[in-house]
Amino acid sequence: MNILIVDDDRTNLFIMAAIVRRLDDVEPVSMESPLDAVEWLRGNEPDLILLDQMMPDMDGMELLRHIRDDGRLDNVPVVMVTANTAVDIRVRALDEGCNDFLTKPVVVPEVQARLRNLLALRQSRALLRDRAALLADEVERVTAVLQRQGEELVKRLSRASEYRDPETGAHIERMALYSRLIAEAAGCGAAYAQELMKAAPMHDIGKIGIPDMILLKPGRLTPEEMTVMRQHAAMGHRILANSDIPLLRLAAEIALSHHEKFDGSGYPNGVAGTGIPLSGRIVAIADVFDALTSTRPYKRSWTLEEARAYLVQNRGRHFDPSLLDAFLSRWDEVCRIHHENADELAHPVPLDV
Ligand SMILES: [Fe+2]
Ligand SMILES: [Fe+2]
């Protein structure tokens, strides 16, 4: 450690430096001129500063003010050496951030004891700061790990559903991108939009509970089969609900609400308007738009314009009007997402996570 000593009197400077040298592991940095000290402090942080109060050019009080104005040196203790025992000077110095005083003529053991105490205090403070920084880093690291684990879980669940769902991975990809786009365009904030994009791929996870003969049936479903098929919303919700992972809770909300319609004619609960969670209202637009513009075994793909016209026709019926407007306001990006994420294969293939 080092102690900066500032004193215009060479003899005093020499004596103080000698006293400081006798402390363990401490080196003095001696300065005769307070202006030199100010200059030196610009590029250095001592462990303690010892100031003479009476100096020409700049007295100890002014130098103290300089030191305390510099935020970098907040944790450096300052001891003022003064011949003046007047209480008002000491109070003023304390107000300005001085930590302790030494009275001339100095008593060597007293100087050493005071310096030792202040240095020990500074060391333990630094230790606490280091520990706090270490803990903050650790918390950040663990939070990032948890976040990654949540995301990986979501990816794996989505992959599991791809094995059962005739819809391709590209559909999942596109509808997730459309969902983020709508959330951004509607002013939901980048963080929510990002979470929505990650959670949306699980909207149909409940289909793993639907029998093959219904899920994979090439033709139209009978009303009875349709009733079974519709259970995928509640099943998906049951799979994902009540998780401690926020992303899974959002995914559960989407699974339950992505087939609700704005006019209340959807399923499973027939909720209407803003009674449907925002996530469900957004994903409904993304999911339907992409289903229409994709080729499925039972239908050709609609053109983007045809799908757009369908959405507009159902504005306020199936879809939340303001969210639909937000989607359409980004039409160029919608087209780009559609073209850049074309279906590659008719059947999904497992990939490494
Ligand atoms: Fe669905
Ligand atoms: Fe879908």
Side-chain angles (χ1 to χ4, degrees):
M1 291 194 283
N2 53 42
I3 294 184
L4 172 67
I5 309 168
V6 191
D7 197 320
D8 59 306
D9 184 315
R10 276 197 184 184
T11 314
N12 284 345
L13 205 55
F14 183 78
I15 294 171
M16 278 301 187
I19 297 174
V20 163
R21 244 182 232 111
R22 278 159 66 184
L23 295 169
D24 288 340
D25 300 323
V26 184
E27 274 302 312
V29 177
S30 304
M31 303 251 164
E32 266 178 69
S33 151
L35 299 173
D36 287 349
V38 168
E39 192 53 42
W40 185 83
L41 284 169
R42 282 208 184 104
N44 297 281
E45 183 182 331
D47 295 288
L48 193 149
I49 302 171
L50 209 53
L51 296 182
D52 186 26
Q53 191 233 322
M54 298 276 278
M55 289 185 289
D57 300 335
M58 179 189 271
D59 68 7
M61 284 298 287
E62 208 180 328
L63 182 51
L64 172 65
R65 230 167 278 139
H66 249 283
I67 292 164
R68 287 303 175 230
D69 281 350
D70 186 338
R72 281 179 314 116
L73 304 172
D74 277 353
N75 296 306
V76 180
V78 175
V79 178
M80 203 175 278
V81 187
T82 168
N84 192 339
T85 50
V87 173
D88 63 326
I89 291 210
R90 295 189 171 221
V91 171
R92 212 146 53 82
L94 285 172
D95 277 346
E96 300 280 355
C98 180
N99 300 86
D100 207 352
F101 297 94
L102 289 167
T103 312
K104 286 180 192 170
V106 293
V107 180
V108 176
E110 189 199 357
V111 176
Q112 288 184 324
R114 285 185 191 265
L115 296 185
R116 232 182 262 123
N117 279 350
L118 284 169
L119 289 174
L121 199 66
R122 175 171 161 82
Q123 267 185 323
S124 51
R125 271 202 195 140
L127 215 68
L128 270 180
R129 255 203 324 277
D130 287 354
R131 205 168 292 166
L134 213 71
L135 278 176
D137 281 356
E138 187 63 5
V139 167
E140 202 173 307
R141 195 185 64 78
V142 171
T143 310
V145 168
L146 284 176
Q147 172 95 11
R148 272 205 308 281
Q149 285 178 347
E151 286 170 16
E152 186 187 328
L153 196 58
V154 164
K155 274 191 195 153
R156 289 184 185 276
L157 276 173
S158 308
R159 186 139 304 140
S161 75
E162 281 173 32
Y163 276 102
R164 297 274 294 126
D165 193 343
E167 295 181 356
T168 68
H171 161 70
I172 303 278
E173 200 90 0
R174 284 188 303 260
M175 61 81 61
L177 290 169
Y178 293 142
S179 300
R180 179 175 68 180
L181 184 68
I182 297 167
E184 282 170 356
C188 299
Y192 180 79
Q194 200 64 20
E195 287 295 281
L196 195 65
M197 182 183 74
K198 289 175 192 161
M202 283 176 288
H203 65 288
D204 273 341
I205 187 89
K207 284 187 181 170
I208 62 178
I210 305 297
D212 278 358
M213 56 162 294
I214 295 174
L215 188 66
L216 306 175
K217 183 176 171 178
R220 271 189 169 279
L221 298 181
T222 65
E224 294 76 31
E225 289 166 339
M226 189 59 92
T227 307
V228 175
M229 184 64 158
R230 286 180 167 182
Q231 288 171 2
H232 82 273
M235 283 179 184
H237 183 252
R238 275 201 296 278
I239 291 170
L240 300 164
N242 302 320
S243 172
D244 282 338
I245 303 171
L247 193 59
L248 288 189
R249 286 205 301 273
L250 180 61
E253 187 182 272
I254 294 169
L256 187 67
S257 61
H258 72 285
H259 286 290
E260 297 291 0
K261 294 184 178 177
F262 200 69
D263 63 5
S265 66
Y267 66 88
N269 296 316
V271 242
T274 49
I276 309 165
L278 175 67
S279 60
R281 280 177 280 144
I282 291 176
V283 169
I285 298 172
D287 192 30
V288 170
F289 180 78
D290 195 68
L292 293 176
T293 52
S294 308
T295 309
R296 296 277 161 91
Y298 49 89
K299 72 159 193 60
R300 70 163 178 94
S301 77
W302 293 24
T303 66
L304 294 179
E305 285 306 327
E306 284 169 337
R308 180 191 170 117
Y310 176 86
L311 295 189
V312 171
Q313 268 167 30
N314 287 281
R315 185 178 181 278
R317 278 191 259 173
H318 188 156
F319 308 111
D320 180 323
S322 59
L323 292 174
L324 181 59
D325 293 345
F327 178 68
L328 298 177
S329 75
R330 298 286 187 92
W331 187 246
D332 287 352
E333 274 175 81
V334 170
C335 298
R336 192 179 50 74
I337 291 170
H338 176 81
H339 293 303
E340 283 179 6
N341 299 276
D343 294 281
E344 286 160 10
L345 294 164
H347 300 288
V349 283
L351 297 167
D352 290 333
V353 171

